Amino acid sequence: MKITLSKDSLTAVAVDLLVVCVGGAKPAQDPNVKMLDAALDGMLIRYMKDQDFKAKVGSRLTVPGAGAIGAKRVLVLGTKSGALSPADCKSLAVRAARAGMERASLALVAPGAGPEALAAIAEGLVSGSYRYVEYLTAERRPKRALARVTVLVPRVSASDRRAVAQGVSLGECVNFARDLVNCPPNDLTATELAERARGAARKHGVRCQVYDRRGIERLNMPLLLAVNRGSAEEPRFVHMVYKPKGRGKVRKVVFVGKGLTFDSGGLCIKPGASMADMKCDMAGAAVTIATVIAAARLELPVEVHGVVGSTDNMTGGAAYRPGDVFPSRDGKTVEIVNTDAEGRLVLADALSYARELEPDYLVDHATLTGACMVALGNYRAALFATDDKLKTRYEKAAEAAGEAFWNLPLDPDLRDSLKSPIADLKHVGSRFGGTITAALFLKEFVGKAKWAHLDIAGPAFLEGAHGNMPKGGTGFGVATAVHFLRGL
Ligand code: BES
Ligand code: MN
Ligand code: ZN
C-alpha cells in the first residue's frame, strides 16, 4: 500500500471516500466538521442532527459529497474526546481502511500529529485493509485492493514520512503473520513454514538456518521428534538472526514460537469441533518469524533471534503415546500424559536451545492452552514473566500497540502437580490453572534466563473480526513485540 502525506484541504481532496474522525460532546463544533459543513451548504451538520450522531467510539455517519467537495462521500468516525493516543489513532485507521476497502481511493484526515501517531495510522491502514484471498478464484477474487491512501496533515516533515514508512513496514509484517496462520495446513507444512521464513529472511537480509529431521536429531531435540512421530511430514527447526549493522554492543532478544502446523491432538484426539481451526497452532511461530523480519525492516538497534520448532501433531502408527517417556534436549526425562499437550514439548526443546544463546531477554509466543481462553476470553493473551522489568516493559509495549495481555502468576504451589512417579517430570499438571501449569512446565527449561511466556491461544485466531483484529489469523503479538524491541 502506498500512503502519501498531503497538505491538501479536506474539501478539495479528490477521492472516493474521505474519512474524518470526530470526538467530544459537540461534534458540530469540530473544525473539520465545520469546514466540510460550510462546503456542503450545511448538509453535514443537518445529517448529524437528523441521524442523532454522537461522537463516541464506534459511531459513524456517511454523507454524500454531492459534487460540492472533491470527495464522492464523507465518512465521519466517532471517537473519544480529548487527546488520542497512537493506539487510538491505529484503531481509527483500521476502521477507515475497512470502510475504504471496496473503493478505489481513500483519504483520511490524520486523527493525530507527530511521528508516533503517523506510524500508528500507517500501520492501521495497512493491517486494516487485510483480507485473506489466496484461495479465492474467479469472481470471488477481489478485483482491487486499496492500493493508495492519502493522509491529510497540516504539514509534512521528513520525520513524518519516515514514520509512515515504518508504520507500513510493521503493518505488512502483521499481515505476513496473518497469511502464515490463514494458510491451510495441507499447504503450510513444517517444511513450507520454514521455506517461507527463509524466503522472507533472504529478502530482508536476515540469517536463517533451517534444520530438517536429520539436523534436528543432530541438534538433539527428542521432544520435538516425539511429537513428530505420528506425522507423515518431516519436522523443521528454524533459527533466524537479525544483527543491526555498525552499532557495537547491543541487547540480544530471542523469540521462540510454537509452530504446530496442525494439532489433531494426536492419539488423545480432539473432538471435531475443537480441531476445526487447529491450523492456527503455528501462530506463535508466525509472530516469531514476522517479528524478526520487522526488526530487520525497521533496522532496530537490537540483535533479534527467532527460534521455531515446527511439526504437526498427528495419529500415525508410530505416534507417541500417553505413558511414553522421552528425554528432553537438556537431559530431564518427561512422562507423556496427554498427547494433546504437544506444544509444551516442542517448546521445551526450543527453549533449551534458545537459552543457550544467552539472551538478555527470552520471549516465547504459543497457542498453548484452551484453559487460557477459559480464563481470559478470546481477545486477551496471558503474560508470564520471571523478571519484573521484562514484565513491565512488555505491558507498556502492549499498551502502545493496542493489544491486550494479562499477567498471570508462575504459582509455585502448582509445581507439585508436574511430579511423575517414573520420570523427572510429567508434562501435564493440574487442570485447574491449566495455563499456569503449562507455563510452569516450560519454566523447567529456561534456566536462569529473563523469560516471558505469552499464551496467545485466544487472540491468535478469531471466528469474527473484533476491534482492530480481522476474522481468522490476527497476527496478535507482532505489534507488541516490535514496540517492546523499540523500547529497549
Ligand atoms: N493447541 C492447543 C491449545 C489451543 C486450544 C489453542 C484452542 C488454540 C485454541 C494445545 O495444544 C492443546 O491442545 N492443549 C490442551 C492441553 C491439555 C491436554 C492439557 C488443552 O488446552 O486442552
Ligand atoms: Mn494440543
Ligand atoms: Zn497445540
Side-chain angles (χ1 to χ4, degrees):
M1 177 185 287
K2 178 134 179 48
I3 297 176
T4 316
L5 291 176
S6 160
K7 292 187 295 186
D8 250 12
S9 92
L10 70 169
T11 51
V13 65
V15 285
D16 289 316
L17 181 68
L18 168 70
V19 181
V20 206
C21 307
V22 181
K26 299 204 167 85
Q29 281 167 29
D30 179 278
N32 290 332
V33 169
K34 276 162 93 175
M35 199 186 295
L36 279 167
D37 187 64
L40 290 166
D41 265 338
M43 184 177 65
L44 177 55
I45 291 178
R46 215 158 48 235
Y47 260 62
M48 282 176 143
K49 293 209 168 106
D50 290 353
Q51 306 285 323
D52 204 16
F53 178 82
K54 300 262 185 325
K56 58 178 189 207
V57 177
S59 65
R60 53 190 293 151
L61 177 76
T62 310
V63 297
I69 57 171
K72 288 204 185 112
R73 65 188 83 196
V74 180
L75 169 65
V76 182
L77 291 179
T79 183
K80 66 185 200 202
S81 60
L84 298 179
S85 69
D88 297 326
C89 290
K90 176 159 92 175
S91 299
L92 288 163
V94 167
R95 291 173 60 200
R98 282 184 190 152
M101 221 135 62
E102 302 302 321
R103 322 241 169 257
S105 55
L106 171 73
L108 167 67
V109 181
E116 268 187 77
L118 289 167
I121 290 165
E123 181 200 338
L125 287 170
V126 171
S127 62
S129 59
Y130 178 82
R131 275 188 66 191
Y132 189 66
V133 297
E134 234 26 65
Y135 289 81
L136 298 179
T137 66
E139 65 283 351
R140 290 212 54 208
R141 185 120 195 158
K143 269 158 239 39
R144 45 166 187 251
L146 187 56
R148 284 179 312 106
V149 179
T150 307
V151 175
L152 300 178
V153 288
R155 55 202 154 266
V156 181
S157 73
S159 63
D160 288 348
R161 278 213 199 84
R162 256 196 317 277
V164 166
Q166 296 213 333
V168 169
S169 295
L170 175 52
E172 287 176 354
C173 287
V174 172
N175 290 348
F176 173 46
R178 293 171 177 175
D179 277 344
L180 291 174
V181 175
N182 286 327
C183 185
N186 56 325
D187 282 346
L188 196 89
T189 57
T191 306
E192 177 63 17
L193 178 63
E195 274 324 302
R196 293 199 186 183
R198 204 202 317 251
R202 190 173 296 139
K203 191 161 157 206
H204 297 290
V206 167
R207 222 168 69 207
C208 182
Q209 192 67 246
V210 174
Y211 298 88
D212 62 6
R213 187 194 324 257
R214 277 296 298 137
I216 293 168
E217 281 163 12
R218 281 199 206 98
L219 282 179
N220 180 30
M221 302 202 163
L223 293 177
L224 169 57
L225 292 168
V227 174
N228 179 251
R229 287 176 60 97
S231 173
E233 291 287 334
E234 274 214 20
R236 288 290 183 269
F237 185 79
V238 183
H239 181 180
M240 303 165 80
V241 189
Y242 157 69
K243 278 195 179 143
K245 288 197 191 71
R247 296 277 189 163
K249 181 106 185 76
V250 292
R251 304 256 196 157
K252 187 199 288 187
V253 178
V254 178
F255 288 94
V256 175
K258 170 177 172 181
L260 266 287
T261 58
F262 185 74
D263 180 11
S264 73
L267 290 178
C268 307
I269 198 162
K270 287 180 186 293
S274 319
M275 205 191 291
D277 291 331
M278 276 303 133
K279 68 173 183 181
C280 79
D281 217 14
M282 36 56 68
V287 173
T288 300
I289 295 164
T291 298
V292 182
I293 298 298
R297 290 184 63 175
L298 301 173
E299 299 179 13
L300 299 181
V302 191
E303 179 175 325
V304 184
H305 294 239
V307 167
V308 164
S310 184
T311 174
D312 47 2
N313 183 24
M314 300 295 282
T315 58
Y320 78 132
R321 296 157 288 237
D324 283 352
V325 174
F326 294 97
S328 59
R329 173 179 172 75
D330 87 344
K332 292 187 187 78
T333 55
V334 177
E335 179 194 359
I336 304 306
V337 178
N338 183 317
T339 61
D340 197 11
E342 81 301 331
R344 61 194 78 182
L345 298 171
V346 171
L347 282 173
D349 281 349
L351 285 167
S352 305
Y353 175 96
R355 157 172 74 97
E356 293 158 24
L357 302 169
E358 300 186 337
D360 293 297
Y361 290 125
L362 174 58
V363 179
D364 79 72
H365 289 87
T367 47
L368 202 64
T369 63
C372 194
M373 299 158 79
V374 175
L376 300 179
N378 254 309
Y379 308 122
R380 192 176 284 274
L383 156 66
F384 296 85
T386 56
D387 179 81
D388 272 342
K389 185 117 186 248
L390 170 57
K391 183 190 93 158
T392 316
R393 285 192 143 130
Y394 231 87
E395 285 173 338
K396 247 183 86 191
E399 191 178 328
E403 294 182 329
F405 289 80
W406 198 257
N407 184 218
L408 293 181
L410 288 157
D411 188 346
D413 283 342
L414 297 177
R415 170 62 182 75
D416 276 355
S417 68
L418 293 172
K419 283 188 178 151
S420 159
I422 70 155
D424 297 334
L425 282 168
K426 276 202 307 197
H427 92 303
V428 178
S430 135
R431 190 165 73 82
F432 299 117
T435 301
I436 298 173
T437 50
L440 287 172
F441 179 81
L442 299 181
K443 183 168 175 284
E444 296 293 315
F445 299 88
V446 299
K448 292 195 165 32
K450 292 178 179 167
W451 166 64
H453 160 55
L454 309 169
D455 192 332
I456 56 170
F461 193 91
L462 297 179
E463 259 168 47
H466 177 85
N468 292 347
M469 295 300 182
K471 177 183 166 65
T474 61
F476 181 101
V478 176
T480 298
V482 168
H483 279 276
F484 164 72
L485 292 171
R486 273 228 181 83
L488 289 180

